Amino acid sequence: MFNKKIGLLASTALVASVAFSGAASAQVKDEIIVTATKRQQTLQETPVTVSVTSADVLEKAQILDIQDLQSVVPSLRVGQLQTSTNTNFRIRGFGNGANNAGIEPSVGVFIDGVYRSRSAAQIGDLPKLERIEVLSGPQSTLFGKNASAGVISVVTAKPSFQSQGYLEAGAGNYDQRVFRGYATTGLSETIAVSLGGTYNKRDGYAESAVAGQPASNDRDRWNLRGQLLFEPRDDISIRFIVDHSEIDEICCHVANFVNGPTAPAVVAVGGQLANPANPFAFVNFQDSSTTNFVNDDGISAHIDVDFDKFSVTSISSFRSNKNGNVNDADFTTAPILVATSDVDINTFTQEIRLTSTGDNMVDWMVGGYYFDEDIVQISGLDFGPAFNAFGNAISGGALAGLEPLYGLAPGTFFSDQNDIVETFTQHNEAYSAFATLDFHASDKLTITGGLNFTKDKKRVTGSTVNNEVFSAIDLNNDPTVFGVPLPTVLFGQEFTNATGLAPTPANIAFIEGVAPGTSAAIQAGVAAGVAGLQGFQFTPQFLAFGNSVESGRSNDDQVTWTARLAYEVNDNINVYASAATGFKSTSWNLSRDSRPNASDAAALGAAGLLQPNQSFGGRLAGPEDALVYELGVKARFDKGAINIAVFDQEIDGFQSNVFTGTAFTLSNAGKQGTQGVEFDASYYPVDALKLTFAGIYLDSKYDEFANAPTPQNDPNQTQDLSGEEIAGIPDFGFSTSATYTHDFGGGTTGYIRGDYQYESTISPVGQIFFGVANPRSDTNIVNGALGVNLDNGFGIQVWGRNIFDDKAFISAFPGVVQNGTINVYPTAPATYGVLVRKDF
């Protein structure tokens, strides 16, 4: 049935494109130059699925950062999670990399050709732009680091030798204040410079339920970006870019979709939690603000030299990113649990490539890429003063009853004095060599082949200081309770309570003779009680690595390839068929949930390294291997263009990082597959009116995922999700826009723009792991803007995002240490504002 749908959609779109192109004229609308294949080509000539957002659209649609791109690129999903630094990108349903500094994203983000390795480095108001290109599918052949799902490529404007610039100031609801400025000029005939900056500040829209606490989801960020362009000759261009950005915000608001059976325990310790009946009340139930910061710096050098038959490009960069957060992790007003994290990332990259130039039968490109990165992460858990009482309430007083059995003072378990501090380091060195050939078999047919060899090495360490007492106790075997294991003690207590007799062998035998099965029933009850307590041991002692058994090293290499046929049907229609592979190296779990592999259990035991209550799995996830088959058509006509791609894409060994309520479980998800169609079109019914329409249809599932984590977060149990729908991926999404421009005469122009984003219901984490009702409705977001630009350079714009205040959820997750609770991230409410600008 799916293949029939795909075939029908593809054939219909192809017929439509041929029909539209029949009225071609010499003047083609929207001739866009892209560098998706690292060559300058028009969008219609590029045989790759790429969505381009121009600077004009970014300005008129008020797309303030990369997160807003999904409103105009349906194949892209951007999810912001518990902090401003925690952003996950998905293209065609594939993507990961949030919540863990050890997991690099499957969607590579490049700004002016420089790879940004972590999402923390990808947030920030966008600089002076030329365009943003979103490339769908594996791009590992040309992009040397972790592009197994796709690429987001941001291209900024070079400095101009002509003096120009702008100043902009804006205000909006929630007391938003925005200031932007940009200036560029030539210092001589060979040197030009530019400097741009942004300041963006706004109050939060989720008020705190605790008096005196600030609202969450505010904006407080600024950046500067300077460039120097040196062109001593026509064939030499050298560009230096320096940038700095800072974020200091309270983020991100969480609502409750389901309050589980632990809710009364929260209330019992004096806490409040959100009401699931009104998840869009935008009231933040946290006893302390979730603060987070980012300091991001970079410098890069871009050198282009043209020779007679080829050109040389070199891109060198060094980046430093420091980010951290203090997060009230239980999302209630009770002081139960706080998570902290500080991450320091330093990255050096070098790319060099040689590209043939001129009109050749065979065009070629060869190059190399080098990547070197160091990460230091210090994170931890702080137990609040209410955690002990909360745990006792959940366990029916069992925790308090255990403390005297182990000779411990009341309040010892989960004391606010017993915190956990974790230290992780990672050194990553990678290099790749790549080559592509374009054989122009005729004026119409081009055959392309490409190869990439990547070598990726990582050296990782992890250790913790864990003063939490309860999780270090072996409840089944620890003989410190009156000299015998806890189950024996509890059996004796329950036997006496049930029979009034001491638990001696003779009394047990007597009762069995009178009431057979009594002992077994008591034993079963004790075992169930101990198992319940073991489920609360979510912070066990950590097995540090590298150690004598675990080296803490990974060494991966892979050859990826691209094969493509592109055929020019006529001046207006290009078709292509392609197959490509992608690769992402091993990711390490840099969190307290990192556990040794089960295959190392015997060796670790022999070495005496196993910790109390040792569990296994989740230390690392092996490499991802992607494969995509794609058919595409690109057509242009005198009033617009249409592009369609039909694809079948899979990732073998997809690195799944799933939160189960108390832990993040990292594993390879066997195989994740998606089939679908994506398309985009533009149409000018009249010159002044531009209409766009873009959409994607996805059929995504876990082809194989036999060892998925369980909702109970039992590290020794798994579930089989093979054949299940993938969480968080809509079946269908589209966006459409209309932009009308008007010339009032005398140099004064105006425009009005509206765009609409639709996304079908998704399957979030809660549905797969808990079987609850789906906490997500269709998304229907409308944005709009109108503006006037005067001949003296002044302009004014009024804008709004989510104008009709559509209410939906970005994602869902199981409540932290609150079994049965489902938390959700709501979409932002309506925002609007006015901007005044002066161009010069």
Side-chain angles (χ1 to χ4, degrees), residues 1 7 23 106 108 161 198 258 303 310 385 432 467 497 528 603 609 631 635 690 706 745 749 761 775 823:
M1 179 64 69
S106 297
F161 287 90
T198 300
V258 173
I303 302 173
F310 64 92
S432 63
N467 297 314
N497 292 337
L609 295 175
L631 296 172
K690 179 180 181 181
T749 61
T761 300
N823 294 124

Side-chain angles (χ1 to χ4, degrees), residues 109 328 357 749 770:
V109 174
D328 182 1
T357 57
T749 61
F770 292 86

